[in-house]
Amino acid sequence: MIYGVELYECFDMSVKDSNSKYFHLVALAKNERGRVALNEIVTQSNFEGFYFKPRIDLAHLRPYADDLIILSACLASKLARESDYGQCVKYINEYKSTFPNFFLEMQSHNTDEQRRYNQKVLELAEATNTEFVITTDSHAATKDDLYYQARHVQIAHDDETLTELYDGCYIQSEAEIYEVMSSQIGEENVKLGLASTNKVADMIENVDMPFQAPQLPTYPLPDGFEDNLSYLKHLTEKGWERRGFDKLSGAAQRIREKRLEYELGIIHQMGFDGYFLIVWDFIKYAKENGQAVGDGRGSGGGSIVNFLLGISELDPIENDLIFERFLNPERVSMPDVDCDFSNREFIVDYLTQKYGEDHVCQIINYSYITPIVAIKDVGKVLGIPYSVCDRISKKFTYKTFEECIENNKSLLDDYSEYDELFRIASHISGRLRNVSIHAGGVGIVDAKITDYMPMKLGSKGEHVIQVDKKKVEEIGIIKFDVLGVSTLAVVQEAMKDIGLSEWDLSINNPEFANDTAMYELLASARTNGVFQVESSGMRDLLLRLKPTNLEDVSAVLALYRPDSMGALEDYINRKNGEKAITYIHPDMEPILKKTYGCMIYQEQLMDVVRKFGGRSYGGADKFRKAIGKKNIELVKEESEKLYGEIIANGYPEGIAKQISDDLKEKGGYLFNKSHSALYSILTLKTAYLKAHYPEYFFKALLNQNRNDYGVINKYIIDTKAFGISVLPPNINRSERYFTVHNSKILFGLEAIRGVGEKVVAQILEERKTNGPFTGLEDFITRVSPSTAVVVSLIKAGALPCKDKRELLERYAQSLFEQKEYTPVKTIYTHKVMLNKYGIDCSVIKGKEERLALLNSRKRIEFYTYQEQRRMKEMHEFEEKYMQNEAFWEFEALSIFLGVNPFEYAYQYINVDYDEAAPDTNVTIVGIIANVQKKKDRTGKQFAFLNMYSVFGLMEVVCWHTQFKQNEDIINRGAQVAMLCKKGGDEKLTAVKAIKPYTQWLKDRKISDI
């Protein structure tokens, strides 16, 4: 394998200014040490040298020189950009003195610039006695692919025209290289260059990716324990007492003892003792340091070891959760314990401190161009109408482009005029679109991360390994899933305010688990803010199903998926007594009784396969895994095998056929009970808090979403249904964030637009030190706020008054600096006295009289000017700060605190603007605050619209076609509903359709009927 990188070389990577240049330099790993060296170099360039690009200098390359092969690189190299020939010679000598294996590089491209540079390289090679290689700047594998690469770049840059064709930038054949290069440097020199190129390839020793089984990091054991297993057993023994297992009946204890012994044996046999210790340790640390931790998630809920360690909160014996669904000795794979925290960064920081910065990384996430996105993106650059692309894209619902075409046989014929669209889209579908950080993955290793792969910096300074979650385990790094769940912070904040203990909201506390009020709230579907059940579909399901226990809530989470809609209706009808609960065989009843005879969980499937087919749980899990792949041939093979096993186990052929056919049809769509049951606990906790302590629940909910005005608007509407008042901020009572005051929710000062953290901190400190503010003047004297801050505070209602306009006018008057007239002591010339002031000195002889009259008239002139200046400043103040009085509160808080004119819109808006992905459609409802008309390059009129919307203050662009069609309704003050394409990456959010709000709402209500 040739393992290399095109580096950004700079003179000094510590210098970070606009004059600090960087150049391309190619580095190849000569051996396995060189591979690790390149990982170190790339990581250093990101962590220490990043300035627009990840840069490295020769001083930092020098320690690794013996294990690298260096090429001088392309037209972006230091040599190419240096016009002074003598300086180029010096650079080459520096390279050669640093790197034992340095080669000059030419590239086979037929451009004037490349020709001149290749000839320059030839001269430099002869002058410095340096070998040169010949390469191609390969942006695509083949010549044909260049066109599609150019289209891909056009899409990425959002260009209207195809600007980059990359002529010759593909992997050329030797004959093509001779054809291009012979006329530039001569055939003999081409032969020499290619020989050097082959020489470089031959110099590279055995280099490979470190593919290996995952290597578990070492957990530092406390004194007194000889190995991981002994410590793990010790912790489960402590957990046995903590969970109260020692107080259970003898029979119940024996069941759990047997399960625990079995699990510990499997865990140790598979070598995973340390994995459980590491997870237990960081969960314990989080709990001991005030971080909210989830009750568990995923298949890990099936482990009694996890329950005893406090990793999960449901007793798997009591809740029919299966260990082999989590860890199967017959199908060896890494355990996958997903852990939820209120503050993910806190845990990542702890792991970094405990195991070392060089031994912990987060994991990159690659997003790829889907067939749908490919059709829309290509259609845009080809100028195909959006409606056409949208219509075509709806047929591209399969994972790959080939599958989409295969399952839509007539598509290419139906849209034959768009052959180029399909051709280009098929080539770019599946290509990389963007990178981010995996939501949960954290890698921990004993060696350095750079022994495996290089790291880059995330947007917040995270250390991110440059392989995704699939590859990271293939190269031997164990991935721990540490996820952030904001709802945990909501629950923690409310519990702290109320004074509830962890036990008060523990699912193992019968009083909480059987609380009537929380189930009544769920059954009434008043679930805005309740975990996992906020959507309209979920609310409809809750109304129909009316959950009364954890099993029902778990079923709601498991069934509300497109694949399970058929089972959903059956479940509801059976639960509500509208359909008889039946079983195809008495042995099926113990397995399906809790779900009213319906099979909805993977664990139930495993029980059925085990009971009727006679398999072990491990074998049953292999069946689940196989049919879960939804491969038709594999599903058929497995179901036939199960059919024979059921008969062999003594059951009738009819039963065998019914079970095998049923599992063949449904098995791939069943849900993981461990996950839905564990997640149901958080659903219950939020429902409990909303039912019993709504003011504290809403306060915590608003704080958690304080930057999402659309969500805040929605929740404030919901507070009214619970009889909770939300008050505007108050400089004497409000804190930074939302608080509860006399059973009402009080806005925080930081929620006020234009009032930043520093001002809020100053207000709170001044109030704490010197007491409440007595009024506007006292506030201004003590805090010295800017005009914008005072205006925002008044508009928000934070400075209490009877009339905001009157207070703003009074404040504006106070800003005017009233000057006193200073009498003059000398008179002007007779001409000025007469012409400017109307004083005839030939009539008025006395100097004192003249001076008195002059001052009298100048005083009038002075105060007239003062009044004019005051009026002008007042007018400017009013123009800037006092327009749209009806929406002052909205301007300051970005929400409708009093009357929300769009209260009924929320039930029809399913996608929150902030949560919508760029380039997707989103409905925006609001009031047009301002229309700024512009003309595009062709002279066509369009407009920027400032909106008071349900999502807060927004700006959208209405391009010419939509503006022309809807000019009559695009007016300041108009209430409208708009279908928009959300912007992103510096793109504007654009209007696609617009209607008067009342008409839009009427259309929605009609469609409901």
Side-chain angles (χ1 to χ4, degrees):
M1 178 179 79
I2 297 178
Y3 188 85
V5 62
E6 188 171 58
L7 299 167
Y8 290 103
E9 180 202 353
C10 64
F11 293 110
D12 184 349
M13 58 193 271
S14 66
V15 175
K16 297 180 180 180
D17 62 46
S18 57
N19 297 317
S20 179
K21 298 176 181 178
Y22 52 82
F23 316 95
H24 291 193
L25 186 70
V26 175
L28 308 176
K30 184 174 181 289
N31 47 40
E32 184 61 18
R33 290 189 305 277
R35 182 188 66 79
V36 175
L38 284 183
N39 293 341
E40 292 272 7
I41 289 163
V42 171
T43 301
Q44 281 185 40
S45 70
N46 275 281
F47 289 5
E48 301 169 35
F50 197 95
Y51 186 69
F52 292 100
K53 300 288 184 182
R55 306 166 309 141
I56 198 82
D57 55 35
L58 289 184
H60 286 80
L61 289 173
R62 192 167 285 115
Y64 309 103
D66 290 344
D67 299 310
L68 300 177
I69 299 169
I70 302 295
L71 311 182
S72 62
C74 57
L75 290 172
S77 67
K78 190 158 63 176
L79 298 177
R81 291 182 174 175
E82 178 57 67
S83 58
D84 185 332
Y85 184 84
Q87 185 61 50
C88 288
V89 171
K90 289 180 181 178
Y91 286 151
I92 293 170
N93 289 331
E94 184 180 22
Y95 282 137
K96 292 179 74 173
S97 66
T98 303
F99 305 107
N101 305 298
F102 173 77
F103 294 81
L104 291 166
E105 180 181 354
M106 300 180 188
Q107 292 192 330
S108 175
H109 301 295
N110 203 10
T111 65
D112 289 340
E113 186 182 11
Q114 187 71 61
R115 174 190 294 269
R116 288 192 298 271
Y117 181 60
N118 287 344
Q119 291 166 352
K120 175 182 174 180
V121 169
L122 186 60
E123 278 187 65
L124 289 167
E126 292 171 353
T128 60
N129 192 28
T130 307
E131 291 182 72
F132 62 88
V133 298
I134 296 175
T135 67
T136 55
D137 194 9
S138 303
H139 287 250
T142 68
K143 191 173 185 177
D144 290 342
D145 285 339
L146 282 178
Y147 173 70
Y148 305 112
Q149 170 65 13
R151 286 295 190 187
H152 189 199
V153 172
Q154 182 187 2
I155 290 167
H157 292 172
D158 197 27
D159 289 335
E160 293 181 6
T161 56
L162 193 62
T163 55
E164 296 188 51
L165 290 173
Y166 299 105
D167 186 37
C169 293
Y170 61 95
I171 302 174
Q172 296 175 16
S173 68
E174 189 170 307
E176 287 173 309
I177 291 173
Y178 269 104
E179 184 181 343
V180 172
M181 297 288 287
S182 293
S183 63
Q184 296 183 10
I185 62 171
E187 189 172 322
E188 278 303 310
N189 285 319
V190 176
K191 188 175 180 181
L192 279 173
L194 290 177
S196 295
T197 304
N198 290 330
K199 178 181 176 180
V200 167
D202 292 338
M203 287 170 65
I204 294 172
E205 300 168 17
N206 187 33
V207 177
D208 204 351
M209 286 286 284
F211 292 114
Q212 58 187 308
Q215 306 297 303
L216 193 66
T218 302
Y219 177 76
L221 291 168
D223 293 339
F225 296 94
E226 60 185 24
D227 55 27
N228 288 338
L229 179 59
S230 61
Y231 191 46
L232 184 60
K233 284 182 176 179
H234 167 74
L235 294 175
T236 57
E237 288 166 5
K238 291 178 67 177
W240 188 275
E241 294 181 8
R242 187 171 57 83
R243 291 297 189 187
F245 280 5
D246 56 328
K247 296 179 175 61
L248 297 175
S249 68
Q253 287 196 52
R254 283 191 292 276
I255 291 170
R256 287 162 176 79
E257 284 170 353
K258 185 178 179 182
R259 174 71 166 262
L260 177 60
E261 184 180 353
Y262 168 72
E263 287 192 18
L264 286 171
I266 296 298
I267 290 168
H268 183 63
Q269 174 191 318
M270 298 175 80
F272 296 149
D273 312 299
Y275 180 94
F276 287 83
L277 294 177
I278 291 169
V279 175
W280 163 80
D281 176 73
F282 64 70
I283 286 178
K284 173 174 170 285
Y285 181 83
K287 290 177 178 178
E288 290 175 350
N289 287 274
Q291 301 302 308
V293 181
D295 297 288
R297 68 184 283 162
S299 58
S303 168
I304 199 167
V305 169
N306 281 340
F307 181 59
L308 295 176
L309 294 179
I311 292 171
S312 62
E313 289 299 317
L314 282 176
D315 180 352
I317 305 297
E318 188 178 325
N319 291 277
D320 306 318
L321 307 178
I322 299 173
F323 176 70
E324 287 80 1
R325 174 63 184 86
F326 165 59
L327 205 58
N328 184 352
E330 299 179 37
R331 180 180 56 82
V332 178
S333 62
M334 285 301 302
D336 189 13
V337 178
D338 296 340
C339 306
D340 294 335
F341 300 92
S342 57
N343 185 346
R344 179 178 185 268
E345 289 72 24
F346 182 88
I347 306 303
V348 176
D349 287 346
Y350 169 67
L351 293 173
T352 303
Q353 292 163 17
K354 186 176 184 76
Y355 296 97
E357 193 175 66
D358 294 335
H359 306 276
V360 177
C361 65
Q362 298 196 55
I363 296 166
I364 207 163
N365 186 59
Y366 294 116
S367 300
Y368 299 92
I369 298 174
T370 63
I372 291 175
V373 171
I375 288 291
K376 290 185 175 181
D377 282 352
V378 174
K380 181 181 177 183
V381 299
L382 293 180
I384 297 171
Y386 179 85
S387 58
V388 174
C389 294
D390 191 48
R391 190 163 62 248
I392 294 174
S393 70
K394 285 182 169 62
K395 299 181 182 296
F396 281 72
T397 55
Y398 294 87
K399 190 172 183 179
T400 68
F401 202 91
E402 292 73 20
E403 286 178 295
C404 295
I405 298 297
E406 190 179 318
N407 287 278
N408 291 278
K409 302 290 187 186
S410 65
L411 187 64
L412 298 182
D413 292 331
D414 294 343
Y415 294 94
S416 57
E417 67 271 38
Y418 299 114
D419 173 67
E420 189 179 18
L421 167 67
F422 294 119
R423 192 159 42 83
I424 299 171
S426 70
H427 279 81
I428 70 165
S429 179
R431 291 192 182 193
L432 188 66
R433 184 175 178 85
N434 53 45
V435 297
S436 56
I437 297 177
H438 187 269
V442 178
I444 306 175
V445 296
D446 280 341
K448 296 174 72 172
I449 294 291
T450 48
D451 284 357
Y452 299 83
M453 282 295 284
M455 291 188 282
K456 68 184 287 290
L457 284 176
S459 59
K460 297 178 182 177
E462 305 95 333
H463 291 188
V464 186
I465 194 168
Q466 297 189 44
V467 285
D468 65 12
K469 63 179 182 180
K470 292 181 181 177
K471 289 294 179 191
V472 82
E473 290 192 351
E474 289 180 22
I475 63 173
I477 298 178
I478 299 287
K479 174 175 68 73
F480 295 86
D481 285 302
V482 178
L483 297 115
V485 175
S486 60
T487 305
L488 291 172
V490 173
V491 171
Q492 184 183 44
E493 183 178 328
M495 288 176 67
K496 184 178 179 182
D497 289 343
I498 301 160
L500 296 174
S501 69
E502 291 293 327
W503 177 248
D504 289 330
L505 264 66
S506 170
I507 194 63
N508 299 298
N509 175 359
E511 189 176 338
F512 166 75
N514 299 305
D515 181 74
T516 305
M518 72 180 176
Y519 290 113
E520 288 176 349
L521 182 132
L522 290 169
S524 68
R526 297 187 299 163
T527 54
N528 277 328
V530 176
F531 186 65
Q532 295 275 294
V533 290
E534 284 195 81
S535 71
S536 57
M538 274 291 196
R539 292 200 302 271
D540 178 63
L541 176 55
L542 288 169
L543 281 171
R544 297 175 60 209
L545 194 146
K546 300 198 179 301
T548 52
N549 52 46
L550 176 70
E551 284 284 347
D552 287 346
V553 179
S554 175
V556 167
L557 302 191
L559 287 168
Y560 190 70
R561 295 175 298 120
D563 295 337
S564 304
M565 288 304 173
L568 187 152
E569 293 299 323
D570 199 24
Y571 186 94
I572 292 171
N573 291 335
R574 291 184 182 213
K575 181 185 186 301
N576 293 335
E578 296 167 9
K579 184 176 179 179
I581 299 172
T582 58
Y583 305 96
I584 63 170
H585 190 279
D587 288 348
M588 196 69 84
E589 184 173 356
I591 299 170
L592 303 182
K593 185 174 183 179
K594 288 184 178 180
T595 53
Y596 312 103
C598 297
M599 186 182 297
I600 62 176
Y601 296 121
Q602 295 166 357
E603 286 85 346
Q604 291 174 318
L605 175 148
M606 291 171 67
D607 273 326
V608 168
V609 172
R610 180 172 178 265
K611 178 67 180 175
F612 288 85
R615 294 193 189 186
S616 65
Y617 269 134
D621 183 61
K622 289 175 76 174
F623 176 86
R624 174 201 65 78
K625 185 82 173 175
I627 64 171
K629 294 181 184 297
K630 301 175 188 175
N631 179 298
I632 295 171
E633 288 302 316
L634 187 59
V635 169
K636 182 181 177 183
E637 180 186 327
E638 286 291 333
S639 61
E640 287 175 356
K641 183 179 175 183
L642 179 63
Y643 172 79
E645 290 171 340
I646 294 172
I647 293 173
N649 210 28
Y651 290 94
E653 287 186 19
I655 292 294
K657 181 169 177 23
Q658 194 169 346
I659 290 175
S660 59
D661 286 351
D662 197 36
L663 295 187
K664 179 171 67 175
E665 180 186 341
K666 299 177 182 175
Y669 303 103
L670 302 177
F671 200 73
N672 179 348
K673 183 180 182 181
S674 292
H675 182 71
S676 62
L678 288 167
Y679 254 35
S680 298
I681 301 171
L682 192 51
T683 303
L684 292 179
K685 286 181 176 181
T686 46
Y688 180 92
L689 291 169
K690 189 171 186 180
H692 290 280
Y693 306 98
E695 66 271 39
Y696 291 100
F697 174 74
F698 279 116
K699 171 257 186 184
L701 200 59
L702 292 170
N703 275 333
Q704 190 60 41
N705 295 279
R706 59 184 178 271
N707 297 317
D708 189 335
Y709 301 114
V711 172
I712 287 179
N713 269 304
K714 180 177 75 171
Y715 290 150
I716 285 177
I717 290 171
D718 201 29
T719 61
K720 298 173 185 176
F722 284 77
I724 308 296
S725 298
V726 180
L727 304 176
N730 185 292
I731 57 167
N732 283 327
R733 293 198 300 270
S734 289
E735 301 298 331
R736 286 184 65 181
Y737 305 131
F738 290 92
T739 52
V740 173
H741 184 79
N742 293 334
S743 298
K744 297 178 176 64
I745 297 172
L746 184 62
F747 250 85
L749 294 174
E750 269 196 23
I752 305 172
R753 192 178 181 87
V755 180
E757 291 181 26
K758 289 183 178 179
V759 174
V760 170
Q762 187 183 356
I763 291 171
L764 295 178
E765 182 60 32
E766 174 60 31
R767 193 175 76 193
K768 179 181 177 182
T769 305
N770 297 309
F773 301 101
T774 59
L776 175 62
E777 291 76 12
D778 180 51
F779 175 76
I780 292 170
T781 301
R782 290 163 59 183
V783 178
S784 303
S786 68
T787 299
V789 166
V790 174
V791 169
S792 290
L793 288 168
I794 292 172
K795 286 182 175 180
L799 285 159
C801 61
K802 293 180 179 178
D803 188 326
K804 290 181 183 178
R805 173 169 284 276
E806 183 184 337
L807 186 59
L808 273 174
E809 287 175 346
R810 182 155 59 87
Y811 172 63
Q813 296 278 11
S814 72
L815 295 175
F816 180 73
E817 188 180 349
Q818 182 73 44
K819 296 179 179 178
E820 293 297 324
Y821 174 70
T822 304
V824 297
K825 296 181 179 179
T826 57
I827 59 175
Y828 305 128
T829 64
H830 288 194
K831 186 177 181 181
V832 171
M833 294 284 280
L834 179 63
N835 293 341
K836 189 171 182 180
Y837 296 101
I839 301 172
D840 189 345
C841 293
S842 63
V843 175
I844 302 172
K845 304 288 188 180
K847 181 179 178 182
E848 293 298 323
E849 188 179 358
R850 288 177 185 173
L851 195 59
L853 191 55
L854 174 63
N855 275 313
S856 171
R857 294 188 179 175
K858 278 186 69 66
R859 186 177 287 104
I860 294 169
E861 177 187 58
F862 176 82
Y863 286 115
T864 300
Y865 173 73
Q866 285 275 83
E867 180 62 17
Q868 289 171 347
R869 189 165 64 86
R870 187 189 68 80
M871 293 294 288
K872 180 174 179 289
E873 289 184 14
M874 282 295 295
H875 177 73
E876 290 172 351
F877 185 92
E878 288 180 7
E879 284 292 309
K880 186 174 183 179
Y881 296 116
M882 298 180 67
Q883 303 302 305
N884 300 320
E885 185 174 353
F887 299 102
W888 282 355
E889 186 175 70
F890 187 95
E891 285 178 11
L893 300 176
S894 294
I895 59 102
F896 297 99
L897 191 54
V899 177
N900 187 335
F902 306 112
E903 185 165 340
Y904 296 105
Y906 291 91
Q907 59 188 298
Y908 301 112
I909 297 176
N910 295 321
V911 180
D912 184 84
Y913 182 84
D914 287 334
E915 294 176 3
D919 297 326
T920 56
N921 291 339
V922 61
T923 300
I924 296 173
V925 171
I927 297 167
I928 299 175
N930 190 42
V931 180
Q932 190 177 7
K933 296 178 182 178
K934 299 277 187 180
K935 287 187 178 179
D936 63 20
R937 286 176 292 182
T938 63
K940 293 179 179 177
Q941 195 167 62
F942 69 98
F944 290 107
L945 310 181
N946 295 107
M947 300 289 300
Y948 297 125
S949 87
V950 294
F951 302 120
L953 290 166
M954 302 183 70
E955 182 179 72
V956 299
V957 62
C958 188
W959 297 118
H960 173 71
T961 302
Q962 284 299 329
F963 184 76
K964 188 176 180 181
Q965 290 175 0
N966 299 286
E967 198 168 2
D968 57 328
I969 60 174
I970 299 176
N971 298 301
R972 185 171 172 175
Q975 295 187 9
V976 296
M978 301 181 296
L979 180 66
C980 294
K981 185 176 182 182
K982 184 179 178 180
D985 297 328
E986 299 183 2
K987 294 180 189 175
L988 295 164
T989 293
V991 177
K992 291 174 60 180
I994 185 168
K995 284 183 179 182
Y997 170 65
T998 52
Q999 181 62 51
W1000 176 84
L1001 193 61
K1002 184 179 178 183
D1003 293 344
R1004 304 282 85 67
K1005 288 179 177 177
I1006 289 171
S1007 66
D1008 273 356
I1009 295 172

